[in-house]
Amino acid sequence: MRMRPELSPALLNRVQERTTLDDLLGDLRSGQGRALTMRGEAGVGKSALLEYLVAAAVDMRVARAAGVESEMELPFAGLHLLCVPLLDRLEALPGPQRDALGVAFGLRVGSPPDRFLVALAVLTLLAEAAEERPLLCVIDDAQWLDLASAQVLAFAARRLLAEPVGLVFAAREPGEQFRGVDDLEVPGLADQDARTLLQSVIRFRLDQSVLDQIVAEAGGNPLALLELPRGLAQAQLAGGLGLVGVQPIPARVEQAFGRRLEALPADTRSLMLIAAAEPTGDPVLMWRAAARLGIQASAAEAAQADGLLETGTRVRFRHPLVRSAVYAAASLPQRRATHRALAEVTDRGRDPDRRAWHLAAAAPGPDEQAAAELERSAGRAQARGGIAAAAASLERAVELTKDPAPRAARALAAAQATFEAAVPETAGELLSMAESGPLDDLQRARAGRLRAQITFARNRGSDAPALLLNAAKAFEGLDDGVARETHLEAFGAALFAGRLGGRHGLREVAEAARSAPSPQSARPSDLLLDGMATRYLERQAVDSGSSDGAQAGVRALQGALEALRRENPRTKDEIMRLLWLSPMAQSMAVHELWDYEGWRELSTRSVRLAREVGALTALPGLLVYFAGVHVFAGEFAAAEALFEEADAITAATGNAPMQYAALFLAAWRGEESSAVDVMDAAVKDATARGEGRILGMAGYATAVLNNGLGRYPAALAGARLACEHDDLGYFNWSLAELVEAGPRSGALEEATAALRQLEGRTQASATDWALGVLARSKALLSSGHAAESLYREATERFERVKMVIHLARVHLLYGEWLRREGRRADARAQLRAAYGMFTDIGMHAFAERARQELLATGETVRKRTADTGNGLSPQESQIAHLARAGMSNPEIAAQLFLSPRTVEYHLAKVFTKLDIPSRRQLRQALPDGDGAGPLPQRP
């Protein structure tokens, strides 16, 4: 029988907290993963609860780590401390994960790993370490974890499911990275328990009023109750002196430690300062630095006797606040001397980064040597993927630089790194510092581009296009390649600003792009820029009915798209650059070229590449683009799985959620209440920020939703809103919705004008998708044999391109037309097909519209709900189809950023729901076209 650990005095009562921790261990023993953050002020008992947890986990493998305040700028420092005991399982990881983790920990040499590929590697490593028995990971002082470690561990915490791994974090206040992880607040002790604890450390009788006063002053904080009475005379305690005030408990506890420090010999305090300034706990470094400062080994005796410091294989303080108290009590010259000694004894070859930080802390003023060391440290951090560490090193290097020119250059580099580390406010301050210095023309152009990028990142609104356009022009003649890339950024910013862009809208950026210097050797990005600019500027020719101008723009975009298709990236940098270009290219394929096969091909490849390299920052947008392929194929479950995956990743990375995706799918499903709620919130937010592009999306979604509901005036209003501005976004699709809603709302002339525009835009690309939409739209405004011929043409084209939702809509419109022509039997065939397809897809509004039409033909129709088929959830369906394609559990795990054990867990549920014994029967149980869309190819 497993014995419960003895309770320490600080764990008096704590029934709720101990029950929560016991339940967590019970889940681990049953094979279920759990994560928990314990939150509470310093000294409230979080560490004692962790000790209780570890003592109760005698049957488990335990890994421990703690955040260290002075190591917050060292990337993966906390993660490395946790994972070192588990690295015996490193070789069991898939190659890309093994390499990423090895580079992050300095075990291998390689290109900078994506932070979230490291996260996936850690998740797999934890699952591997838990193969033989449950694994409990305990992380104290999580508020002091470096950003990279916090992000990685929070990512893993949110994805624990079927692996017996527990992650328990204790923090004063968990950071934003831990949002979504189960939370346990640790309050102060109740008064009676506080009195019991206090009396355990005070061995003489106190007056009841004094006892009550001390308990009240401590506020239930166990560490305060244990430490505050130390160092106070009996007379002071008896009178309650020294405990009155309004300081927060952690500061007062720190002062209590400070009083104990004052009683120690000077050499002891100096030794403790060395230990406080060197948080690795390496006793060799501490004693070597002590020798530099003339401190004898006997200096440790007084601190050890008082219980403040432990020395041995590792140097430890009684509590993190002891470290804070030691460092705060030292004078500035004492700290500098200590850091200087530590820099001198820290090996330049083995730990150059920590040496650089000690040199910087030792500098009394500007110090070029220390600044140069920090600059080199920043380069090493960037090579490891430690953007935050690079930013911190460069920022400190700026402070240590005296000469104006190097100071401005370093401030610019620091601003860039800080921006990439997602701290735009600090980046802006550093950028202002750089701009006030003597920058050359190229540096000033870079500063202008960064200023624009910061502005765009903050709101994606109407301010950014002009700033990016100015930056692009500043690069011309200095670096024409960067100039064209910045023009492309300006075009993208203008697309987001849309109708709210004001004077610096798409026309101005397109004209500027057309006049930009021509590249010596055109890259896909150059072709894309030229194609976008040409296509936009020639729109008047398209709208007026001339196809000559239209063909030039279309040919340019087709060339760009073909170049992207041919590109075969090999290095990570090449892949990342392609991933950056792909969403824009896919947008053009969808909105301008009507190239469904190109959309499918590029999005499939982009998602595959992003998963292979672990590019989670780019992956959510790519998943949403790929989901659009599934939506038009009528595969809503597959699309929803991708949307959910995108949401999970954006939550893990802290990026903004993809509102477009939810709005898009809700409109096609005909879910009025959810679509309207999402739409209203998105429009309000976008208008406040100046992001006009979403207004076009909202108009298009409104038109689709209301055409499905048969509310044609509302659909017309939505289509009008979308067509008020040519976003190069949803304009083309909205024209088709306007043609459907217009005649049924008494706006025939307006629908006819929209058809003329649509004709010019679709005939230029002449794909089956384009010509199918055109044929359907023409049929709506035609009669007799011409209308029937056009409906049949649209049916054939959409069958050929396999765009199921458009095919179903043609069946509906054709059936409605046949019924009005009095051909009820023929109408029923079309309407039955439409009703069945809409119902199977889950297009509820259009399905009801088709059902009402069938009733009008005299046919009795029983209301159906979407066929739930095999009952698999979106994620189960995704995993099942990957397994059906021949992928192993580890391969599926790498694709979907899960652990292999979680994949195994989901597959077991799949087998139960499909009533099959193993994956060998998946091919029969999941026939082709069963909601999966294009299956990924095995690597």
Side-chain angles (χ1 to χ4, degrees):
M1 179 178 178
R2 185 173 54 87
M3 300 296 294
R4 291 174 63 85
E6 294 297 323
L7 297 187
S8 69
L11 282 182
L12 287 168
N13 197 345
R14 297 296 192 195
V15 173
Q16 179 180 346
E17 291 86 349
R18 288 186 283 119
T19 299
T20 300
L21 297 178
D22 289 341
D23 289 345
L24 182 144
L25 294 178
D27 286 339
L28 298 188
R29 292 185 178 100
S30 67
Q32 180 179 345
R34 282 281 304 279
L36 180 72
T37 59
M38 290 198 300
R39 172 170 50 87
E41 65 180 8
V44 79
K46 302 184 300 297
S47 297
L49 284 165
L50 290 182
E51 293 303 326
Y52 168 85
L53 179 66
V54 170
V58 291
D59 56 334
M60 301 182 184
R61 185 174 185 177
V62 178
R64 305 188 68 163
V68 178
E69 189 172 12
S70 59
E71 292 196 346
M72 291 180 71
E73 306 303 340
L74 295 176
F76 304 117
L79 184 68
H80 182 260
L81 185 62
L82 180 72
C83 292
V84 161
L86 311 178
L87 291 180
D88 58 317
R89 309 291 297 181
L90 182 62
E91 293 305 315
L93 271 59
Q97 297 179 31
R98 183 174 63 247
D99 293 342
L101 198 58
V103 172
F105 287 168
L107 304 175
R108 287 177 168 82
V109 176
S111 59
D114 184 278
R115 183 166 301 175
F116 298 101
L117 183 58
V118 175
L120 178 60
V122 168
L123 181 62
T124 307
L125 180 68
L126 297 178
E128 285 288 334
E131 279 293 323
E132 296 178 0
R133 55 177 175 157
L135 171 67
L136 174 66
C137 299
V138 173
I139 301 95
D140 205 354
D141 290 318
Q143 75 276 358
W144 287 335
L145 284 173
D146 59 279
L147 179 61
S149 294
Q151 288 178 330
V152 166
L153 290 171
F155 177 93
R158 278 188 289 268
R159 301 181 86 78
L160 294 175
L161 179 61
E163 45 282 301
V165 175
L167 280 169
V168 181
F169 306 89
R172 297 179 188 178
E173 191 61 46
E176 286 295 310
Q177 294 83 11
F178 295 97
R179 180 179 295 177
V181 179
D182 287 347
D183 180 75
L184 173 65
E185 183 176 5
V186 182
L189 294 173
D191 284 355
Q192 185 55 50
D193 294 324
R195 288 189 184 91
T196 302
L197 181 58
L198 180 60
Q199 289 171 333
S200 72
V201 295
I202 297 177
R203 301 304 180 186
F204 47 83
R205 184 178 179 82
L206 288 179
D207 183 82
Q208 186 62 44
S209 63
V210 174
L211 184 66
D212 291 343
Q213 181 184 357
I214 295 174
V215 169
E217 288 292 325
N221 186 291
L223 185 62
L225 290 161
L226 290 170
E227 299 292 346
L228 280 173
R230 293 177 183 265
L232 294 179
Q234 183 172 342
Q236 288 177 298
L237 283 171
L241 303 177
L243 295 174
V244 181
V246 293
Q247 296 168 296
I249 287 297
R252 288 158 55 193
V253 173
E254 188 172 313
Q255 288 180 4
F257 284 132
R259 287 193 298 271
R260 293 169 65 181
L261 293 173
E262 291 172 1
L264 298 175
D267 275 3
T268 301
R269 294 198 301 272
S270 296
L271 181 67
M272 294 179 74
L273 178 59
I274 296 172
E278 177 41 64
T280 62
D282 185 345
V284 175
L285 276 179
M286 184 185 74
W287 289 120
R288 290 176 64 191
R292 289 266 178 173
L293 297 174
I295 301 171
Q296 302 298 316
S298 59
E301 294 174 359
Q304 290 171 329
D306 200 25
L308 292 174
L309 187 71
E310 298 176 9
T311 60
T313 58
R314 187 175 176 85
V315 180
R316 299 178 187 273
F317 285 95
R318 173 178 172 82
H319 190 274
L321 289 178
V322 178
R323 183 189 301 276
S324 301
V326 169
Y327 201 81
S331 67
L332 192 55
Q334 288 173 325
R335 296 179 202 166
R336 288 173 179 158
T338 299
H339 284 292
R340 175 67 63 184
L342 284 166
E344 291 169 351
V345 299
T346 299
D347 188 279
R348 183 194 297 266
R350 290 197 304 175
D351 203 351
D353 299 329
R354 191 166 279 110
R355 180 179 182 277
W357 275 100
H358 283 313
L359 281 175
D367 186 319
E368 180 58 29
Q369 180 194 358
E373 289 277 4
L374 284 172
E375 197 169 24
R376 287 190 285 272
S377 178
R380 289 188 292 270
Q382 287 176 322
R384 295 192 301 270
I387 297 173
S393 295
L394 288 167
E395 186 175 355
R396 179 64 176 135
V398 173
E399 297 171 1
L400 296 174
T401 305
K402 180 180 179 180
D403 292 342
R407 180 180 174 86
R410 284 169 177 160
L412 180 57
Q416 183 69 54
T418 305
F419 171 65
E420 292 172 0
V423 190
E425 292 79 10
T426 304
E429 294 170 3
L430 288 164
L431 183 56
S432 296
M433 187 183 301
E435 290 171 330
S436 67
L439 298 175
D440 61 29
D441 289 344
L442 184 57
Q443 289 172 325
R444 199 158 291 281
R446 289 173 180 160
R449 184 187 190 190
L450 179 57
R451 175 73 66 189
Q453 290 171 333
I454 292 172
T455 300
F456 180 72
R458 281 175 169 165
N459 58 27
R460 293 203 304 263
S462 57
D463 297 332
L467 295 174
L468 283 164
L469 188 55
N470 290 337
K473 292 176 179 177
F475 275 113
E476 293 178 5
L478 299 173
D479 189 327
D480 289 344
V482 176
R484 292 182 64 82
E485 290 175 358
T486 311
H487 274 295
L488 193 56
E489 290 179 359
F491 208 109
L495 279 171
F496 274 101
R499 64 196 68 194
L500 302 179
R503 187 171 65 86
H504 297 92
L506 280 169
R507 173 169 291 280
E508 183 175 358
V509 297
E511 289 173 346
R514 286 284 295 272
S515 62
S518 300
Q520 292 182 345
S521 178
R523 304 164 297 177
S525 60
D526 297 312
L527 297 174
L528 185 58
L529 177 64
D530 290 340
M532 291 169 66
T534 301
R535 179 64 172 158
Y536 182 79
L537 291 174
E538 292 175 347
R539 277 300 177 84
Q540 286 185 333
V542 176
D543 293 340
S544 66
S546 169
S547 61
D548 295 338
Q551 288 295 340
V554 166
R555 283 196 300 269
L557 276 179
Q558 287 172 336
L561 197 60
E562 185 58 34
L564 283 168
R565 283 171 160 170
R566 290 196 309 267
E567 198 162 18
N568 184 26
R570 299 183 183 278
T571 68
K572 182 176 179 181
D573 287 344
E574 290 173 347
I575 291 173
M576 293 302 296
R577 191 168 180 279
L578 179 63
L579 295 179
W580 176 76
L581 289 173
S582 290
M584 192 79 73
Q586 291 166 28
S587 178
M588 291 301 98
V590 172
H591 302 306
E592 297 305 314
L593 299 183
W594 306 80
D595 184 355
Y596 186 63
E597 287 306 313
W599 185 12
R600 180 188 292 269
E601 179 184 335
L602 276 175
S603 60
T604 302
R605 181 182 70 171
S606 297
V607 168
R608 176 177 59 80
L609 289 174
R611 283 179 167 150
E612 284 179 2
V613 301
L616 288 194
T617 301
L619 186 55
L622 296 170
L623 289 170
V624 170
Y625 275 111
F626 190 26
V629 174
H630 289 292
V631 169
F632 283 130
E635 298 158 354
F636 285 7
E640 186 174 23
L642 294 172
F643 288 151
E644 288 179 355
E645 186 180 352
D647 288 342
I649 295 171
T650 53
T653 59
N655 293 331
M658 309 292 288
Q659 287 183 314
Y660 292 84
L663 181 58
F664 190 63
L665 191 55
W668 279 104
R669 277 182 164 158
E671 298 169 347
E672 183 178 11
S673 59
S674 60
V676 170
D677 289 345
V678 172
M679 196 180 310
D680 289 345
V683 168
K684 182 178 179 181
D685 177 62
T687 302
R689 290 184 289 102
E691 184 183 347
R693 180 176 176 81
I694 206 167
L695 300 180
M697 171 58 168
Y700 169 69
T702 298
V704 169
L705 175 67
N706 285 285
N707 269 332
L709 293 168
R711 299 174 184 169
Y712 301 110
L716 178 63
R720 282 171 174 164
L721 174 64
C723 293
E724 283 177 358
H725 182 88
D726 194 345
D727 305 283
L728 290 184
Y730 309 101
F731 189 95
N732 291 352
W733 298 352
S734 299
L735 287 173
E737 299 300 327
L738 195 155
V739 171
E740 180 170 341
R744 304 179 185 200
S745 305
L748 180 60
E749 186 175 342
E750 189 175 356
T752 302
L755 179 61
R756 283 197 298 269
Q757 285 184 287
L758 186 63
E759 187 169 13
R761 293 167 185 242
T762 52
Q763 287 181 337
S765 57
T767 64
D768 278 327
W769 179 10
L771 296 181
V773 169
L774 178 61
R776 184 191 77 192
S777 300
K778 279 185 171 181
L780 285 165
L781 299 183
S782 301
S783 59
H785 178 73
E788 185 159 20
S789 176
L790 287 165
Y791 280 127
R792 288 178 176 174
E793 178 190 347
T795 300
E796 291 171 2
R797 292 191 180 278
F798 286 131
E799 284 177 342
R800 200 152 50 224
V801 79
K802 298 180 181 179
M803 299 188 75
V804 179
I805 61 173
H806 285 312
L807 178 61
R809 287 186 72 175
V810 171
H811 283 307
L812 172 61
L813 292 169
Y814 189 14
E816 290 175 336
W817 180 82
L818 288 168
R819 185 181 70 80
R820 289 194 300 271
E821 291 290 303
R823 296 164 56 183
R824 291 191 172 189
D826 293 338
R828 288 178 188 136
Q830 296 294 325
L831 293 172
R832 285 192 205 107
Y835 181 56
M837 294 171 72
F838 286 139
T839 304
D840 290 341
I841 293 169
M843 294 174 63
H844 309 302
F846 280 101
E848 179 60 18
R849 181 174 146 188
R851 192 178 78 89
Q852 293 296 329
E853 285 289 328
L854 271 171
L855 291 174
T857 66
E859 181 163 314
T860 301
V861 186
R862 195 170 64 185
K863 203 167 186 177
R864 289 175 50 195
T865 57
D867 183 9
T868 56
N870 48 42
L872 301 182
S873 72
Q875 187 170 58
E876 289 166 355
S877 177
Q878 197 174 18
I879 290 172
H881 281 88
L882 292 172
R884 178 184 181 275
M887 287 190 174
S888 66
N889 286 3
E891 289 172 335
I892 297 171
Q895 281 276 317
L896 301 183
F897 297 99
L898 301 169
S899 74
R901 190 184 289 268
T902 294
V903 172
E904 182 181 358
Y905 169 80
H906 282 303
L907 275 176
K909 294 174 68 177
V910 167
F911 298 156
T912 298
K913 290 182 178 181
L914 298 181
D915 194 24
I916 59 175
S918 70
R919 65 173 64 212
R920 287 194 296 272
Q921 287 75 38
L922 282 172
R923 186 164 295 278
Q924 290 73 36
L926 296 173
D928 291 334
D930 186 26
L935 294 170
Q937 299 298 311
R938 293 194 59 175

